[in-house]
Amino acid sequence: MRLLRIVATLAWRNLWRNRRRTLIMVAAVSVGVWAMIFMNALMRGMVDDMVRSGIESLPGHVQVHRLGFRDDPSINNLLPLNDAELAAKLDAAGLVAWSSRINVPAVITSERESRGVTLYGIDPERERKITFVPNSIVAGRFLEGVSDKGIVIGRRLLDALETDLGKRVVVMSQDPDNEIADRGFRIVGVFEAKLESYEETMVFAGKSTVQRMLHVADRVTEVAIMSDDYRFVEQTVQTVRDKLGADVEVLPWTELNTYLASMLTVMDGFALVWTIVIFLALSFGLVNTLVMAVFERVREIGLMLALGMRPFGILAQVVIESLLLLLMGLALGTLLAWLSILPLQSGIDVSAVADGMEMFGSSSVLYPKLTMADVVLANVVVLGLGFIASLSPAWRASRYQPIEAITKV
Amino acid sequence: MTAVRCIDLCKTYRQGDQDIKALDHVSLEINAGSFLCLSAPSGGGKTTLLNAIGGLDAPDSGEVWIAGRRIDHLKKSELAQLRLMQIGFVFQAYNLIPVLTARENVEFVMQVQGLSAAERVRRSSAILDEVGLSGLENRRPAEMSGGQQQRVAVARAIVSHPALVLADEPTANLDSRSSDELLRVFVELNRKYDTTFVIATHDQRVMGYARRVIKMLDGRIVDDIEQHAD
Ligand SMILES: Nc1ncnc2c1ncn2[C@@H]1O[C@H](COP(=O)(O)OP(=O)(O)OP(=O)(O)O)[C@@H](O)[C@H]1O
Ligand SMILES: [Mg+2]
């Protein structure tokens, strides 16, 4: 313990012997750490945005279907439970939000054009807590109840159908007896989505209206459920499974959209690789600085050894010196990252430089997301690998021969 | 009691195509409590002998015994421990750690030994006073004269009361008054704690204090005189 004190004192003072060199190194480490954290925050923000909008565009955090629905999403795969039974079970489950829907493939026809779409019969009140659509209406209004007779379609579909708000369209699908089921709707609202394909293929109508059109009474095809945080949905999945029994399929969004889910893993991998790459760049400077510092001190290191300090004491000195330097850089770099991310929380508009971004389901405004995990990652990587990197110069220093140091004049 | 015993030490350096015998069959026995002066012209082998005795450099052949223990084949860490606990050093060329103050340099060995802060301060204050450096405790080596630095080195060598002090030209940078003061500190320590002193020097005044003077030439002992110190 007392040895550690003198060793730490020596390390600290030696650090300030070549003030310029130390400050340059601290600055380099700070910038590196800033780059680690800032870049990771940007990427996290982007991925987070992607995941959120992915989840908002209908899946929710957890979905319930009849077994087989995902292979054949049609009217033949209705959930075995009707609306009342679902409500009885799910309302008692203490969920953040849930909503049942009926969704089927359909054809929508205006007086000029027709298009293949997915028709969603929804409960507008409940959907407000789950999907983006109620908040993305750009003309007209959103649906006003399960029996609303209107239809809400995307801006691009509106253009493709060469029709307009207030006009009528015909939606055609099949009922469970494979008979044609169709109905006319007035277009009451138009929405925009981040993804073009959503605007082209999703149309929304009142749930009861659609149920009547398809002759399915009070049955639905899908339930969407929200939990507190998209990263932790397992508990919700379990709760719903327990409530609804084994003849339905309860899946988290990570399995409904594996591409989206893989983004999270990819992001974690990216953060680690990026952090390590930056560190590797830093480590050359660090090791070089240490080697130089140690080389300049051949004599005093020899002297300390001659006086009876063990080689370990020398090793510890160099390692501690390196860690002190890194710690200063880390503190400064983390602060810098925090300070630079703080004012950007409200979003960076990158539409000018990132035209293609929307293709990946990300918006053109980036919201950098500073996470504790990334800060910890940067600190752990820098300290951990820094420790390892400083071992080699430290080891070399501890192998010095005392005799060399004290006899040379 | 024998403090130091050297048996048939040889050490040869190669310089170019020439072999230099720095130690040439040196055998020597030093009793505990001796005050011994090692005198030789420059290049006579004083430093080489002190380094062998202090376990800093292994001889090519021969044996070195310290306090009844053979040390020339010990491991590095054992030698470090021996030097730390039993020997006080004043080196000829380089003595002080530049980033430490005078006091910290004096306390360095005690700190590595693990002495408490209170004990260290007590002893370092006393010794700095004795070697005439009170008031300069917080100066770093670069802020002191050669003589002051030398006195710090001496203070460090004796502050932990080692059984054996090996001093290489401890008065080289000192005026006669300072070296007299320093030598009196040595003598007092030698009397009080029975500390063995081996001092390499070509300073006549130092030899005056010694009770035994060993003269070397070209790595060989050429004379060994017992004398009464003043
Ligand atoms: N590392 C070395 N490499 C080569 N020769 C050496 C080395 N160290 C000492 N010598 C030679 O060994 C001989 C004895 O050297 P040593 O340093 O022991 O003498 P010294 O009595 O201490 O001299 P001085 O009074 O100048 O300090 C000298 O001839 C010296 O040149
Ligand atoms: Mg010498």
Side-chain angles (χ1 to χ4, degrees):
Chain A
M1 221 34 226
R2 281 183 184 131
L3 181 68
L4 194 68
R5 264 196 80 164
I6 179 75
V7 161
T9 307
L10 285 164
W12 178 252
R13 297 216 187 137
N14 279 326
L15 204 51
W16 296 110
R17 246 160 117 172
N18 195 327
R19 200 173 292 256
R20 219 172 84 97
R21 187 169 66 199
T22 299
L23 288 178
I24 288 175
M25 236 359 254
V26 168
V29 173
S30 310
V31 170
V33 168
W34 172 84
M36 288 174 185
I37 297 176
F38 190 79
M39 184 69 177
N40 284 340
L42 271 188
M43 294 296 289
R44 281 249 186 251
M46 212 167 96
V47 169
D48 189 63
D49 189 60
M50 256 186 240
V51 171
R52 267 177 212 286
S53 50
I55 287 171
E56 271 181 6
S57 26
L58 289 193
H61 292 165
V62 178
Q63 278 193 2
V64 184
H65 299 114
R66 186 194 191 99
L67 291 165
F69 176 86
R70 291 202 305 141
D71 291 331
D72 177 18
S74 75
I75 197 73
N76 299 317
N77 280 316
L78 291 166
L79 277 173
L81 301 160
N82 68 23
D83 260 340
E85 289 164 333
L86 283 171
K89 295 188 185 221
L90 292 177
D91 280 342
L95 301 166
V96 174
W98 71 273
S99 180
S100 65
R101 309 161 173 159
I102 178 156
N103 53 338
V104 291
V107 171
I108 187 167
T109 308
S110 69
E111 64 269 44
R112 293 211 176 83
E113 292 281 344
S114 61
R115 286 282 185 280
V117 294
T118 302
L119 170 66
Y120 287 86
I122 58 171
D123 179 337
E125 275 323 301
R126 287 185 172 275
E127 288 293 343
R128 277 185 193 283
K129 292 181 187 140
I130 299 178
T131 125
F132 71 100
V133 182
N135 304 316
S136 309
I137 301 295
V138 291
R141 59 169 175 85
F142 190 54
L143 300 168
E144 277 167 353
V146 289
S147 304
D148 198 314
K149 305 252 176 327
I151 193 165
V152 171
I153 73 174
R155 155 84 66 206
R156 283 178 165 268
L157 183 60
L158 190 80
D159 295 344
L161 294 174
E162 296 176 28
T163 181
D164 221 333
L165 190 68
K167 298 216 169 176
R168 287 185 74 86
V169 287
V170 174
V171 178
M172 189 166 71
S173 188
Q174 292 197 359
D175 72 9
D177 302 323
N178 299 326
E179 296 298 331
I180 294 294
D182 57 2
R183 195 191 147 91
F185 290 94
R186 191 175 302 283
I187 299 171
V188 295
V190 178
F191 71 87
E192 278 183 356
K194 286 174 185 166
L195 275 185
E196 295 175 355
S197 67
Y198 293 169
E199 282 186 33
E200 282 163 0
T201 61
M202 289 175 164
V203 304
F204 299 91
K207 187 167 72 180
S208 301
T209 310
V210 175
Q211 282 169 334
R212 262 198 307 284
M213 160 185 159
L214 297 171
H215 314 121
V216 292
D218 55 357
R219 303 282 293 280
V220 292
T221 53
E222 172 174 298
V223 180
I225 296 156
M226 297 302 275
S227 68
D228 290 316
D229 188 330
Y230 70 76
R231 275 161 295 222
F232 311 108
V233 294
E234 279 315 307
Q235 185 54 48
T236 308
V237 169
Q238 203 47 55
T239 311
V240 175
R241 272 189 191 143
D242 292 345
K243 283 279 173 198
L244 298 185
D247 43 352
V248 296
E249 186 181 52
V250 182
L251 290 177
W253 67 271
T254 48
E255 282 176 54
L256 294 164
N257 191 338
T258 47
Y259 164 74
L260 210 54
S262 71
M263 289 307 294
L264 286 187
T265 327
V266 168
M267 179 57 217
D268 284 339
F270 168 85
L272 185 65
V273 169
W274 172 249
T275 306
I276 288 178
V277 164
I278 298 254
F279 179 82
L280 287 182
L282 283 180
S283 71
F284 287 105
L286 177 71
V287 170
N288 199 42
T289 302
L290 290 178
V291 166
M292 254 157 56
V294 161
F295 181 73
E296 288 165 1
R297 290 179 218 146
V298 179
R299 306 197 81 191
E300 56 201 90
I301 290 170
L303 172 67
M304 289 186 259
L305 289 167
L307 291 175
M309 181 174 257
R310 282 163 194 252
F312 174 78
I314 306 295
L315 184 110
Q317 250 176 75
V318 179
V319 169
I320 290 176
E321 185 174 338
S322 156
L323 292 184
L324 285 172
L325 192 152
L326 291 173
L327 274 173
M328 287 190 286
L330 277 170
L332 212 64
T334 307
L335 186 74
L336 224 65
W338 185 68
L339 286 178
S340 61
I341 291 171
L342 209 59
L344 298 176
Q345 298 276 332
S346 50
I348 314 165
D349 191 349
V350 291
S351 50
V353 289
D355 253 350
M357 296 267 286
E358 283 163 15
M359 237 164 58
F360 304 108
S362 172
S363 56
S364 53
V365 178
L366 277 184
Y367 298 89
K369 194 161 180 256
L370 185 62
T371 60
M372 202 56 201
D374 286 335
V375 172
V376 169
L377 177 75
N379 280 265
V380 166
V381 164
V382 169
L383 281 183
L385 296 187
F387 173 77
I388 293 171
S390 49
L391 279 180
S392 142
W395 174 257
R396 244 185 288 173
S398 74
R399 295 293 105 185
Y400 280 165
Q401 296 299 322
I403 187 74
E404 303 267 325
I406 50 177
T407 48
K408 281 202 184 113
V409 183
Chain B
M1 250 286 275
T2 309
V4 180
R5 173 181 288 150
C6 301
I7 306 173
D8 213 22
L9 293 182
C10 291
K11 178 91 187 175
T12 309
Y13 289 110
R14 269 207 81 79
Q15 230 161 30
D17 50 353
Q18 210 180 336
D19 278 346
I20 297 169
K21 287 184 172 167
L23 292 178
D24 190 2
H25 298 281
V26 171
S27 290
L28 174 66
E29 207 162 302
I30 303 171
N31 290 327
S34 297
F35 200 105
L36 182 147
C37 201
L38 206 54
S39 151
S42 186
K46 304 183 291 291
T47 301
T48 310
L49 181 57
L50 286 183
N51 286 343
I53 293 173
L56 287 164
D57 202 10
D60 297 339
S61 67
E63 298 173 13
V64 180
W65 295 68
I66 300 287
R69 179 169 176 224
R70 188 168 172 192
I71 65 148
D72 50 278
H73 60 277
L74 288 183
K75 281 188 296 188
K76 262 186 166 183
S77 60
E78 291 171 315
L79 282 173
Q81 188 68 8
L82 173 89
R83 290 197 297 268
L84 180 67
M85 302 311 288
Q86 297 187 27
I87 307 176
F89 287 97
V90 180
F91 300 112
Q92 184 172 10
Y94 190 83
N95 267 299
L96 302 182
I97 299 164
V99 290
L100 297 184
T101 63
R103 181 193 290 286
E104 287 165 335
N105 264 291
V106 170
E107 290 185 7
F108 180 82
V109 170
M110 293 190 286
Q111 195 149 18
V112 178
Q113 285 175 341
L115 261 61
S116 74
E119 179 67 10
R120 290 200 309 265
V121 170
R122 197 180 62 71
R123 287 210 206 168
S124 61
S125 301
I127 206 88
L128 282 165
D129 195 34
E130 272 186 89
V131 299
L133 289 177
S134 17
L136 304 183
E137 292 91 343
N138 294 323
R139 294 223 188 149
R140 296 213 180 165
E143 301 159 346
M144 290 187 283
S145 73
Q148 289 166 338
Q149 292 180 33
Q150 193 123 27
R151 281 182 275 168
V152 174
V154 167
R156 182 193 55 212
I158 57 181
V159 72
S160 57
H161 300 159
L164 172 64
V165 173
L166 303 175
D168 204 346
E169 306 279 5
T171 58
N173 292 306
L174 300 182
D175 58 57
S176 63
R177 230 193 75 206
S178 311
S179 46
D180 271 334
E181 272 168 22
L182 212 69
L183 286 159
R184 260 187 235 113
V185 175
F186 279 7
V187 169
E188 195 191 315
L189 218 65
N190 172 257
R191 288 219 186 95
K192 214 156 125 190
Y193 297 102
D194 221 22
T195 307
T196 310
F197 278 83
V198 180
I199 304 167
T201 189
H202 34 231
D203 183 344
Q204 283 300 324
R205 265 170 314 172
V206 181
M207 282 177 244
Y209 284 86
R211 271 176 277 126
R212 184 176 169 196
V213 176
I214 290 182
K215 295 204 163 137
M216 292 178 75
L217 187 63
D218 296 335
R220 274 172 292 115
I221 293 180
V222 291
D223 212 348
D224 188 344
I225 312 155
E226 301 273 349
Q227 64 181 27
H228 288 286
D230 350 282

